[in-house]
Amino acid sequence: MNRNGSDKNHVLGIDIGGTGIKVAPVDLSSGKLLSDPQKEATPRPATPDTMIPVVEKLVNHFQWEGTIGCGFPGIVKRGIIYSAANLDDGWLEFPLRDKLSKRFSLPISLINDADAAGLAELKFGVGKKWSEPGSGVVLFFTLGTGIGSAIFLDGKLLPNTEFGHMELRGKDAEEWAATVVQEKENLSWEEWGKRVNEFLLKMEFLFSPDVIIIGGGISEDPQKFFPYLTLETEILAARMANEAGIVGAAMSSRI
Ligand code: BGC
């Protein structure tokens, strides 16, 4: 197995999150990780100065010489960060793609973390049949430190949707229904599940999706909260759990 990136189908995926940073080489033809991810907690304060050295350390582990794809938990356009709700404001307008590309002297693509996870689930996970022409509208959400969102029409992504910041009960939806809120407020599965339901009902009404896919670590326990969801739309738990972010980050090098 070639791990250093000289095989064009092998791309190093970096998943930068509000809680942790993960890096692993990905085989783009199978959507599988080529080795266990290297992980570190997201340092606090979560500024470019504290986080980039962590990314660098994790990447250096792989002695990578090929392409890199990176997911980031905020709005990303043309390699620049425009929001970072769960990180430090020092990220705003930060040219992350150029900074990383210069550090590693390698080509780098950058994508929103939820867009990345959605891409991976549609191609390699539970959403395969939803990526074909005529398959319709897919809404994908990650419920974690924040609420991440991605929307697809016939498998094509509309990037940077940020539905987790839609107003719900007078605040950002993610401040009311993200997974971390369940922990922080010590909510039962029923209490939290009903909050997620309220968020999803609003999304369903606004977008009339053909399917809704729920990703993030919580997708491994759908039986705990799916019983409280009262949507008309088919709802599926993602299959790739936390690997989707790394795989989709690597996939961003091809779009
Ligand atoms: C950010 C999104 C991100 C989501 C999940 C939100 O706070 O605004 O860009 O996708 O968290 O990390």
Side-chain angles (χ1 to χ4, degrees):
M1 185 167 44
N2 185 336
R3 286 195 179 174
N4 69 9
S6 60
D7 181 325
K8 292 281 167 274
N9 267 329
H10 295 178
V11 172
L12 194 69
I14 305 175
D15 183 10
I16 297 181
T19 310
I21 303 174
K22 291 170 263 173
V23 177
V26 176
D27 177 4
L28 289 184
S29 46
S30 64
K32 298 250 183 296
L33 303 190
L34 291 160
S35 71
D36 287 341
Q38 290 291 307
K39 303 178 195 174
E40 290 271 348
T42 303
R44 296 284 158 180
T47 61
D49 282 352
T50 61
M51 288 173 69
I52 289 178
V54 176
V55 171
E56 198 172 0
K57 177 179 157 209
L58 297 174
V59 169
N60 286 344
H61 171 87
F62 294 100
Q63 303 192 320
W64 199 250
E65 284 159 24
T67 303
I68 299 179
C70 178
F72 184 89
I75 298 170
V76 171
K77 277 173 96 77
R78 289 176 284 276
I80 297 172
I81 306 302
Y82 288 101
S83 78
N86 294 300
L87 304 175
D88 190 89
D89 280 353
W91 281 104
L92 302 182
E93 305 203 8
F94 189 85
L96 182 59
R97 185 179 57 201
D98 282 359
K99 281 274 177 290
L100 292 182
S101 191
K102 277 194 195 120
R103 272 211 188 200
F104 302 120
S105 303
L106 293 171
I108 298 211
S109 58
L110 201 56
I111 186 171
N112 169 265
D113 61 347
D115 286 345
L119 278 176
E121 277 297 335
L122 242 61
K123 177 138 186 177
F124 298 111
V126 75
K128 276 186 207 158
K129 77 165 180 166
W130 299 100
S131 55
E132 284 149 25
S135 55
V137 175
V138 176
L139 275 179
F140 174 84
F141 298 104
T142 57
L143 307 175
T145 316
I147 294 183
S149 62
I151 188 165
F152 298 87
L153 172 61
D154 296 347
K156 185 108 182 76
L157 171 71
L158 173 73
N160 290 313
T161 44
E162 296 291 334
F163 296 142
H165 296 282
M166 181 189 66
E167 192 186 313
L168 203 62
R169 304 262 177 150
K171 46 174 113 166
D172 268 19
E174 71 173 26
E175 288 172 28
W176 198 65
T179 316
V180 289
V181 180
Q182 184 194 18
E183 288 151 23
K184 251 191 243 154
E185 295 185 20
N186 205 9
L187 302 173
S188 67
W189 285 102
E190 179 174 0
E191 287 167 318
W192 181 70
K194 286 182 170 166
R195 289 188 180 196
V196 174
N197 189 46
E198 194 172 326
F199 170 70
L200 293 178
L201 283 172
K202 203 153 181 187
M203 289 286 117
E204 178 183 53
F205 174 69
L206 292 173
F207 293 101
S208 300
D210 293 289
V211 67
I212 296 178
I213 303 174
I214 305 293
I218 200 72
S219 59
E220 290 175 298
D221 291 313
Q223 72 290 351
K224 294 193 170 145
F225 67 104
F226 272 28
Y228 307 109
L229 306 183
T230 60
L231 311 165
E232 301 274 325
T233 310
E234 181 178 3
I235 176 140
L236 301 172
R239 254 189 225 144
M240 299 172 70
N242 284 326
E243 279 188 10
I246 303 177
V247 175
M251 287 170 70
S252 71
S253 63
R254 295 278 169 91
I255 55 171

